[in-house]
């Protein structure tokens, strides 16, 4: 009994240590498992090798802006003047006719990859981009830059960069399904129109603005805003009888930004070759969805 009374405290300490080691090991195993699961889940969700970093949506306002003292005060424009607005009001018959006329014009719009080198006035491009610049934007920040390229050497450098990356896209990044879906359109990484078209318009989104005093200005919904302006640009081109093909050259943004000497806050969103259609131009015989398939009336 005396021996047992001496050993009891020792056994109790040993037992506590054993239980402690078991619990600690279980906790570490759980933590490692959870961490590994998160990493694997994140890697599976985020593994999209075709994604262009420049095309990722970055319109959310992060806490980093609040911590960075270089951002401008959002209260600077509180005293903005408001003025009366009285646009033309058309009779219903005129409204109906104008709506049909615009639809008829825009329904003729096609993505054209065969573009004529025939020149046209620079002023036409100027007015088209002025029209694109009338688009709405988050807090009226107008977060767009339209770079117009007509210099043959610069156009050829753009083509070289795009074709080099596009070949990798088609062979590796895009995957079999995407390449297969494009096969009916007869597209590939050869972009002859980048040399041929009289003008290239590269549309950059400004992820934030830079004021004259050097401070940064938040550009809310910059990608959505610039996308809307691109829609107006396409409509303006159609209105003057010019054609284009909307291209989003994956993974070309950083090189093109460097070539065109654009600042770090600008990221390439879309590249448009602009001109008349070539005399032998063809387009796929595609059909558009009927109204009932694209509109829900409640």
């Amino acid at each position: 009994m005396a021996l047992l009374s001496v050993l009891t405290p020792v056994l109790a300490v040993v037992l506590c240590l054993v239980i402690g080691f078991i619990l600690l090991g279980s906790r570490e195993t759980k933590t490692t498992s959870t961490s590994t699961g998160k990493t694997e889940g994140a890697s599976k969700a985020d593994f999209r090798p075709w994604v262009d970093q420049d095309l990722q949506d970055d319109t959310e306002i992060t806490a980093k802006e609040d911590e960075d003292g270089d951002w401008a005060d959002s209260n600077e424009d509180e005293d903005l003047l408001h003025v009366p607005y009285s646009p033309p009001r058309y009779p219903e018959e005129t409204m109906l006719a104008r709506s049909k006329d615009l639809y008829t014009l825009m329904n003729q719009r096609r993505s054209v990859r065969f573009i004529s080198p025939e020149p046209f006035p620079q002023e036409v491009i100027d007015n088209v981009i002025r029209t694109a610049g009338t688009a709405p934007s988050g807090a009226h920040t107008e977060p767009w830059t339209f770079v117009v390229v007509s210099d043959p050497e610069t156009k050829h450098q753009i083509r070289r960069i795009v074709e080099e990356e596009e070949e990798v896209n088609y062979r590796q990044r895009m995957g079999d399904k995407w390449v297969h879906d494009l096969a009916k359109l007869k597209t590939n990484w050869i972009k002859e129109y980048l040399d041929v078209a009289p003008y290239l318009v590269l549309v950059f989104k400004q992820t934030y603005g830079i004021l004259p005093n050097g401070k940064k200005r938040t550009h809310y919904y910059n990608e959505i805003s610039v996308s809307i302006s691109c829609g107006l640009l396409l409509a303006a081109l159609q209105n003057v009888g010019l054609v284009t093909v909307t291209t989003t050259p994956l993974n070309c943004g950083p090189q093109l930004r460097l070539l065109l000497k654009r600042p770090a806050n600008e990221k390439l969103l879309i590249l448009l070759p602009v001109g008349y259609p070539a005399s032998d131009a063809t387009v796929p015989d595609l059909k558009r969805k009927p109204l009932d398939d694209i509109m829900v009336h409640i």
Side-chain angles (χ1 to χ4, degrees):
M1 292 294 294
L3 179 61
L4 182 61
S5 63
V6 172
L7 291 177
T8 298
V10 176
L11 290 173
V13 172
V14 171
L15 182 60
C16 288
L17 289 174
V18 170
I19 293 174
F21 278 119
I22 292 174
L23 291 176
L24 182 60
S26 174
R27 182 178 178 183
E28 287 179 351
T29 303
K30 183 178 180 181
T31 302
T32 303
S33 175
T34 303
S35 176
T36 303
K38 287 182 178 179
T39 303
E40 290 178 354
S43 63
K44 288 180 180 179
D46 297 338
F47 183 68
R48 295 180 294 171
W50 51 267
V51 169
D52 187 334
Q53 296 296 320
D54 275 13
L55 296 179
Q56 290 186 354
D57 187 15
D58 53 7
T59 58
E60 294 184 0
I61 307 306
T62 63
K64 183 179 179 182
E65 294 184 3
D66 297 329
E67 298 170 0
D68 190 342
D70 291 337
W71 292 86
D73 186 354
S74 60
N75 299 324
E76 292 178 358
D77 295 332
E78 282 187 348
D79 296 330
L80 181 66
L81 178 67
H82 285 224
V83 297
Y85 177 64
S86 300
R89 180 165 178 169
Y90 302 105
E92 290 185 1
E93 297 81 4
T94 305
M95 291 171 62
L96 183 59
R98 288 172 65 92
S99 67
K100 287 182 176 179
D101 289 346
L102 181 59
Y103 167 68
T104 299
L105 174 68
M106 294 308 302
N107 195 37
Q108 297 169 7
R109 189 209 61 77
R110 300 301 303 271
S111 295
V112 179
R113 293 172 173 82
F114 305 98
I115 298 178
S116 168
E118 182 181 351
F120 59 89
Q122 164 77 40
E123 190 175 0
V124 174
I125 282 287
D126 295 346
N127 289 331
V128 163
I129 291 179
R130 284 191 179 99
T131 301
T134 66
S137 59
H140 193 61
T141 51
E142 302 175 293
W144 40 67
T145 300
F146 301 90
V147 179
V148 178
V149 180
S150 58
D151 173 63
E153 177 58 31
T154 305
K155 288 194 298 179
H156 187 68
Q157 291 183 60
I158 291 173
R159 178 182 178 181
R160 180 183 57 78
I161 291 171
V162 170
E163 288 186 345
E164 183 178 287
E165 288 293 336
E166 282 285 78
E167 183 174 5
V168 178
N169 292 334
Y170 272 82
R171 293 187 182 278
Q172 299 178 22
R173 298 183 182 121
M174 290 163 56
D176 294 339
K177 184 179 185 304
W178 191 352
V179 173
H180 178 268
D181 289 343
L182 290 174
K184 63 184 178 183
L185 303 178
K186 298 181 179 180
T187 67
N188 55 41
W189 59 83
I190 305 301
K191 313 293 182 183
E192 183 180 357
Y193 51 72
L194 296 178
D195 268 327
V196 175
Y199 295 98
L200 303 181
V201 179
L202 294 92
V203 186
F204 288 83
K205 64 177 183 179
Q206 301 170 6
T207 55
Y208 56 86
I210 301 177
L211 300 177
N213 61 7
K215 288 190 175 183
K216 299 176 183 177
R217 182 185 185 188
T218 302
H219 279 178
Y220 305 96
Y221 300 108
N222 55 77
E223 184 159 324
I224 295 174
S225 300
V226 179
S227 297
I228 295 172
S229 75
C230 288
L232 292 182
L233 195 157
L234 294 176
L237 289 174
Q238 182 69 16
N239 183 57
V240 297
L242 297 172
V243 298
T244 187
V245 55
T246 53
T247 68
T248 52
L250 298 177
N251 298 290
C252 297
Q255 293 184 73
L256 294 177
R257 185 166 63 240
L258 181 63
L259 173 66
L260 300 173
K261 298 179 172 61
R262 302 314 307 156
N265 65 316
E266 294 186 5
K267 295 185 178 182
L268 180 65
L269 187 66
I270 199 168
L271 190 164
L272 301 170
V274 177
Y276 296 111
S279 59
D280 58 349
T282 61
V283 295
D285 187 18
L286 302 175
K287 307 300 180 185
R288 291 188 166 94
K289 293 181 179 180
L291 182 63
D292 289 344
D293 285 357
I294 64 174
M295 183 179 78
V296 176
H297 190 183
I298 299 175

